[in-house]
Amino acid sequence: MQKALHLATSMASFLANGLLVRKVWQMMHRWKENQPQHVQNVPFLSLPNREAFISLLKLAGPIFFVLIGKILGYSSMTIRAGSFGFVPLACHNVLMRVFFFFGTFGDALSHSAQTFLPGLLYRKNLREKAITTALSKDSNTTSSDSTNARTLTKRLLLFSCVAGIFNSLAGRYIANSAGGTFTTDSSLVALMSRASPWMGLANFIHPIAMTLEGSIIAGRDTGYLVGTYVFSLVLLLSHLKF
């Protein structure tokens, strides 16, 4: 049964990725039809040159570390919960599934920041590097881009606060009053209820943190992002250890 589930998951992932690649190929084919001849000869897949590869590493390297840091943090908490016994581990696993469900709100806000902020920041940086005459002509537009970037960030933070409050209330209710939906074990239901305040706090903080993280990635301040993850991981692992 377990092997069948793994096989079904692998096949579903393979088919989903195949459909996405096919869609991207169709979009690129339609785009090249309206381009000059030298652009139409651009292949669908190609290896980057040295400069492009280094530029990719500067962005992808820190993001890779961030993803590894998240996996390490979640895995460490699971291992530590398992050392307390079967019931605490089961409680941890159930609450983690609930947390990940509500975590999609924060992920969506992070992706929104990464999608819309770079356009404003990129235009602003281009104008800041232009010659003085060009700067004087575009000063109003540059100011508008800065204002729009700040306004977008404030709105995303407002949405994240609203999402955090909703997630906190809903997550805490599930942990405190709906534990019987997941299990009939009274000790597990009682432990979930005891952990409900922390569940609510985690669900409140997550969308705000993810919105800020997406804004930092959009601004390509990856050094600061990696530094905060290093500090957080050291603090988390020390707490779990001692």
Side-chain angles (χ1 to χ4, degrees):
M1 182 63 181
Q2 194 73 13
K3 292 183 179 180
L5 289 174
H6 290 164
L7 179 61
T9 302
S10 301
M11 289 299 299
S13 300
F14 178 78
L15 292 175
N17 282 283
L19 291 173
L20 291 175
V21 171
R22 180 173 179 271
K23 183 62 177 180
V24 171
W25 183 86
Q26 291 176 343
M27 292 172 61
M28 185 175 180
H29 181 71
R30 288 195 297 266
W31 172 77
K32 288 197 298 184
E33 289 178 350
N34 301 322
Q35 302 300 320
Q37 183 63 36
H38 69 281
V39 177
Q40 294 182 8
N41 296 328
V42 174
F44 178 66
L45 294 175
S46 63
L47 295 176
N49 57 33
R50 184 172 179 273
E51 292 183 358
F53 183 71
I54 293 175
S55 178
L56 175 64
L57 284 181
K58 289 180 179 179
L59 179 62
I63 301 303
F64 175 77
F65 176 83
V66 167
L67 294 176
I68 293 298
K70 291 181 179 181
I71 295 172
L72 178 61
Y74 290 134
S75 300
S76 300
M77 287 189 290
T78 301
I79 293 173
R80 189 70 177 107
S83 67
F84 291 106
F86 176 77
V87 174
L89 178 60
C91 177
H92 171 78
N93 285 330
V94 171
L95 293 183
M96 283 291 286
R97 302 287 80 75
V98 176
F99 172 78
F100 285 141
F101 172 79
F102 289 107
T104 55
F105 291 86
D107 293 337
L109 290 167
S110 176
H111 294 158
S112 298
Q114 295 177 52
T115 300
F116 298 110
L117 275 178
L120 300 173
L121 298 174
Y122 181 68
R123 287 199 302 267
K124 179 177 180 292
N125 291 335
L126 281 181
R127 295 189 179 94
E128 286 177 349
K129 294 178 181 178
I131 58 176
T132 306
T133 53
L135 278 173
S136 61
K137 292 179 181 179
D138 294 342
S139 59
N140 292 333
T141 310
T142 303
S143 176
S144 176
D145 286 341
S146 300
T147 302
N148 290 338
R150 287 193 296 268
T151 301
L152 177 60
T153 304
K154 291 178 181 178
R155 288 179 178 176
L156 289 174
L157 283 174
L158 178 61
F159 291 150
S160 68
C161 289
V162 174
I165 293 173
F166 171 79
N167 291 352
S168 177
L169 295 175
R172 184 169 183 179
Y173 172 79
I174 291 173
N176 189 45
S177 305
T181 306
F182 303 95
T183 179
T184 57
D185 190 323
S186 58
S187 59
L188 179 54
V189 172
L191 189 56
M192 289 177 60
S193 179
R194 284 170 51 193
S196 62
W198 300 106
M199 183 69 182
L201 179 62
N203 280 336
F204 174 73
I205 293 175
H206 183 262
I208 300 174
M210 292 304 298
T211 299
L212 295 174
E213 179 181 303
S215 301
I216 292 173
I217 294 174
R220 296 205 170 187
D221 193 2
T222 51
Y224 179 83
L225 183 64
V226 169
T228 57
Y229 265 84
V230 170
F231 174 78
S232 299
L233 280 174
V234 170
L235 189 64
L236 172 64
L237 296 178
S238 300
H239 181 68
L240 293 177
K241 176 67 176 178
F242 300 108

